[in-house]
Amino acid sequence: MGRSGRGAKSVRVVRDAAATQQQILDAAEQEFARHGLKGARMSAIADGAEVTSATLHYYFETKENLYKAVLQRPVNEVQAVLMQQNFETLSPEEALKQIIRIAIANEAANPQRQMLWFQESSQNGGAYFKECNVLTLHEHLLKVLERGMAEGNFRSLKPFLALTHILSVCLFYFTVHGNWKHLTPDLDRLSPEMIEEHTEEAIEFILAGVRQKGLTRNQE
């Protein structure tokens, strides 16, 4: 009985610790997205996470450590989703569609992250961004583009430049939302319906740009 009780308590402690860290990261992501590393306040993060400053420092020690963890989390989350996919079993066009859907769905669930990356670029010139292993995410799309060219589905592309254009189509929608929402105040551009419309239009726009000339949708 005693051993079983201690074991259950240990599991609860681990779960509580993981939940607390997620609360801190959630609050920190919002604060860093608004103010960047330099302007963010640890006291505001503690308040947002509903923990004490001592708890905050216990888990992450310094603001810089917390900032690094916040930047790394989106990369880890998207990588986990991408690793669950079997892009090799799909045609290049279907694989590209799936990547577009994943990219947009992730941003729709976390619209503050584009501002987080902007703050990193503006304040730190990407000094912390370069430590996040973002290229591991890009490898999936690069492989799909290269396979599409090799199999004759896609026209001749410069893969990394094409990747840049594709991500721009997917993500710029969220980058400018804070400004553009004022152009059409009666329209909720982050609603599920509008995100679905953005997704389908992005897919059609991107595929029209990468398809081999003369290849129709029925020849995918």
Side-chain angles (χ1 to χ4, degrees):
M1 289 289 292
R3 291 179 181 175
S4 176
R6 286 195 295 272
K9 183 177 180 180
S10 176
V11 170
R12 283 198 299 273
V13 169
V14 170
R15 288 176 178 170
D16 289 346
T20 299
Q21 289 185 64
Q22 289 305 309
Q23 286 176 225
I24 293 171
L25 288 169
D26 288 343
E29 186 168 303
Q30 295 292 338
E31 179 72 3
F32 287 131
R34 285 191 292 266
H35 305 292
L37 173 61
K38 296 176 182 177
R41 294 181 298 115
M42 292 290 271
S43 59
I45 294 171
D47 290 344
E50 299 183 340
V51 300
T52 65
S53 293
T55 299
L56 193 61
H57 287 283
Y58 172 78
Y59 283 108
F60 294 99
E61 294 187 354
T62 67
K63 183 166 73 166
E64 184 181 36
N65 284 349
L66 178 54
Y67 183 68
K68 289 179 179 180
V70 166
L71 289 186
Q72 187 62 50
R73 186 170 67 155
V75 178
N76 292 346
E77 289 177 354
V78 176
Q79 182 70 295
V81 174
L82 292 173
M83 291 297 289
Q84 293 174 1
Q85 311 304 310
N86 294 312
F87 295 122
E88 297 80 5
T89 65
L90 302 174
S91 71
E93 285 212 10
E94 287 302 319
L96 180 53
K97 289 179 185 179
Q98 189 66 4
I99 289 174
I100 293 168
R101 291 190 181 100
I102 290 170
I104 293 176
N106 178 68
E107 294 302 318
N110 305 281
Q112 74 285 348
R113 286 181 174 169
Q114 284 303 301
M115 184 54 66
L116 179 70
W117 299 121
F118 170 79
Q119 294 283 12
E120 165 61 11
S121 175
S122 176
Q123 289 191 8
N124 309 309
Y128 294 93
F129 173 82
K130 68 182 181 182
E131 300 177 10
C132 293
N133 300 317
V134 175
L135 283 176
T136 60
L137 302 182
H138 293 168
E139 287 173 357
H140 299 275
L141 179 50
L142 291 172
K143 288 179 180 178
V144 169
L145 294 175
E146 289 165 355
R147 182 160 63 90
M149 287 188 289
E151 295 178 8
N153 300 97
F154 300 159
R155 64 181 177 82
S156 179
L157 300 163
K158 294 182 178 180
F160 200 86
L161 189 56
L163 175 146
T164 304
H165 295 155
I166 289 167
L167 294 182
S168 297
V169 170
C170 294
L171 307 185
F172 186 72
Y173 184 95
F174 302 96
T175 305
V176 299
H177 177 259
N179 290 327
W180 282 20
K181 65 184 179 183
H182 301 293
L183 301 179
T184 51
D186 297 330
L187 186 63
D188 180 6
R189 295 184 181 277
L190 296 182
S191 69
E193 295 78 15
M194 288 299 297
I195 294 300
E196 179 62 22
E197 183 176 299
H198 168 48
T199 301
E200 294 307 314
E201 288 296 317
I203 287 172
E204 289 302 313
F205 189 84
I206 291 167
L207 289 180
V210 303
R211 276 195 188 103
Q212 183 68 263
K213 186 176 180 180
L215 187 68
T216 67
R217 294 170 65 181
N218 293 330
Q219 293 176 300
E220 296 175 11

